[in-house]
Amino acid sequence: MASTSISATSRWSTYDVFLSFKGKDVMKGFTGHLYAALCRSGINTYVDEEKMEDKEKIEAACLNGIQKSRFSLVLLSKDYALSTWCLEELVQILKYKKADDVWPIFYDVDTSHVEEIQGSYKEAFVEHEKHFKEDVLQKWKDALRQVSTLKGLDLPKRLDGHLKAAASLKMLEKRPISRVYPTYKGNF
């Protein structure tokens, strides 16, 4: 039965991976390297187009990217929760993807801060409380708690963290990507 759902997913997927991240945090650093490594490996990766001006077009494009991707990588950085855009994206990822198809990467953030909404995540929600209703805040907190319980990578932002990151990229080949994406060679 699983092979039926895998082939159905493969048939309808436009992208292999949807990459969710807070742009200012890491796109020129780790996320840029991750994106380049995925592309070099022939993994068709969706990243949102920052050049788009129309919010509705961006939202529709991202939702389409989430729905038409086999997997989602969620790069949780210190400032991820500051972005309401990222939080909404995370809610949609968890709505449309099975837990096995969502891979969190905790980049320079303590996993417990995400799960318990502490540290920079708590600071972000103090700001959000000024602008959003409790039901919206709770939806975002629930999504963060849910993603923090999934198996993922924990990468500190230090030189050794970057070395760990490079080694950890190879761990992705141990994830279900190789069974769903048979042409993937694992060459990061």
Side-chain angles (χ1 to χ4, degrees):
M1 181 109 169
S3 61
T4 304
S5 65
I6 289 170
S7 61
T9 300
S10 300
R11 192 173 342 128
W12 300 108
S13 297
T14 303
Y15 303 100
D16 300 308
V17 173
F18 181 91
L19 188 56
S20 175
F21 63 96
K22 172 89 167 65
K24 286 184 178 179
D25 282 349
V26 288
M27 190 52 186
K28 294 189 188 317
F30 176 72
T31 304
H33 294 296
L34 174 61
Y35 177 70
L38 291 168
C39 291
R40 277 193 311 272
S41 296
I43 298 172
N44 189 12
T45 305
Y46 180 94
V47 293
D48 66 353
E49 191 61 51
E50 291 183 11
K51 297 173 192 161
M52 284 190 206
E53 298 292 327
D54 184 353
K55 184 180 177 190
E56 288 180 14
K57 285 183 182 177
I58 297 171
E59 288 173 352
C62 281
L63 182 58
N64 188 47
I66 292 166
Q67 291 174 335
K68 292 189 175 188
S69 295
R70 294 179 186 154
F71 304 98
S72 292
L73 288 176
V74 181
L75 187 62
L76 297 149
S77 58
K78 282 186 177 182
D79 290 339
Y80 186 88
L82 283 174
S83 170
T84 57
W85 182 267
C86 287
L87 294 171
E88 281 298 325
E89 203 172 75
L90 179 60
V91 168
Q92 295 305 312
I93 288 169
L94 294 171
K95 178 179 178 181
Y96 288 101
K97 299 290 169 212
K98 295 180 294 184
D100 227 19
D101 296 339
V102 179
W103 307 338
I105 299 174
F106 301 92
Y107 183 75
D108 194 28
V109 65
D110 190 310
T111 309
S112 67
H113 286 187
V114 177
E115 183 177 12
E116 299 166 13
I117 317 297
Q118 295 297 316
S120 63
Y121 281 64
K122 183 177 182 175
E123 293 168 15
F125 274 91
V126 167
E127 286 303 308
H128 296 325
E129 286 170 1
K130 298 174 185 174
H131 308 287
F132 296 94
K133 293 182 179 182
E134 184 57 36
D135 61 327
V136 173
L137 297 170
Q138 192 59 52
K139 174 179 70 170
W140 292 340
K141 288 178 182 179
D142 290 345
L144 288 167
R145 287 184 181 110
Q146 183 179 349
V147 78
S148 72
T149 64
L150 302 176
K151 186 174 181 179
L153 302 175
D154 188 2
L155 304 174
K157 186 180 175 184
R158 298 186 310 264
L159 178 57
D160 65 326
H162 290 297
L163 295 174
K164 283 183 191 175
S168 296
L169 290 176
K170 292 184 185 258
M171 282 180 53
L172 292 175
E173 66 190 83
K174 295 179 183 175
R175 300 294 299 227
I177 197 165
S178 54
R179 78 174 153 78
V180 176
Y181 189 51
T183 59
Y184 170 67
K185 303 290 188 235
N187 296 323
F188 278 111

